[in-house]
Amino acid sequence: MSRTAPLDTSMFLVEVKDRVEGRQSKTLSFSRAPTVLLTFAANRFTRISARDYLERFGIGAMDWRMLVMLTYEPDCDAARASAAIGIDKGAVSRSLARLEKAKLATYVSRKTDERRKDWRLTEKGQRLHDEILEVALERLQNTLDGFSEQDVKDLNRLLSKMIENLDKESA
């Protein structure tokens, strides 16, 4: 695939003045740098969701992500889950341990390597996933209020492209 010309980075910057020392500096704009906006939106979404899921269901945002992952791809291991959702393997393993302790997930060790575990949800875990899913879909609707179906498709396409570019950078 051909590369497009680099973007003019000045579109992402803002000039700020240190009120004490009077020094001028450039930094990322909070309103024009897509990665900043994406991070701010993701942080807010995760904070709101995490608080709600903890209060209502007794699990945090990371555990919810793992319920989704194990519904989407049963019998996956921690390394696969980590790669798929882009979260550190240690955080994934800690979440799986919490889910196992709560009897929401279980594993089978691989015959070829007893240390490798393939995880799946228990019936209790699947029921909890399905219950939280209704709340998550409502939150998603609220978050996308005012978006058209085409807006959502465009957003998904653009975010997928960002992920693709990030994957290239980390390879």
Side-chain angles (χ1 to χ4, degrees), residues 1 5 24 26 33 60 65 74 86 92 100 108 111 114 117 129 132 134 137 141 160:
M1 183 159 72
Q24 292 285 120
K26 289 183 182 179
R65 289 180 187 129
V92 167
E100 180 187 27
V108 175
K111 291 178 182 164
E114 288 293 317
K117 299 173 181 177
H129 167 273
I132 297 173
E134 291 181 33
L137 288 171
Q141 288 284 0
S160 293

Side-chain angles (χ1 to χ4, degrees), residues 112-171:
T112 56
D113 183 353
E114 288 293 317
R115 295 169 298 168
R116 301 277 306 243
K117 299 173 181 177
D118 293 328
W119 290 87
R120 68 173 29 252
L121 295 181
T122 62
E123 285 185 35
K124 179 182 176 184
Q126 192 63 59
R127 281 193 309 272
L128 181 60
H129 167 273
D130 295 349
E131 190 177 346
I132 297 173
L133 181 60
E134 291 181 33
V135 174
L137 288 171
E138 184 179 330
R139 176 165 290 109
L140 186 57
Q141 288 284 0
N142 293 338
T143 302
L144 298 174
D145 185 39
F147 286 58
S148 69
E149 202 169 302
Q150 188 59 51
D151 290 339
V152 173
K153 288 177 183 177
D154 290 343
L155 178 61
N156 287 340
R157 179 182 55 77
L158 295 168
L159 290 171
S160 293
K161 181 65 179 164
M162 287 180 82
I163 291 169
E164 182 182 311
N165 289 341
L166 288 166
D167 286 345
K168 282 189 241 175
E169 190 175 310
S170 69

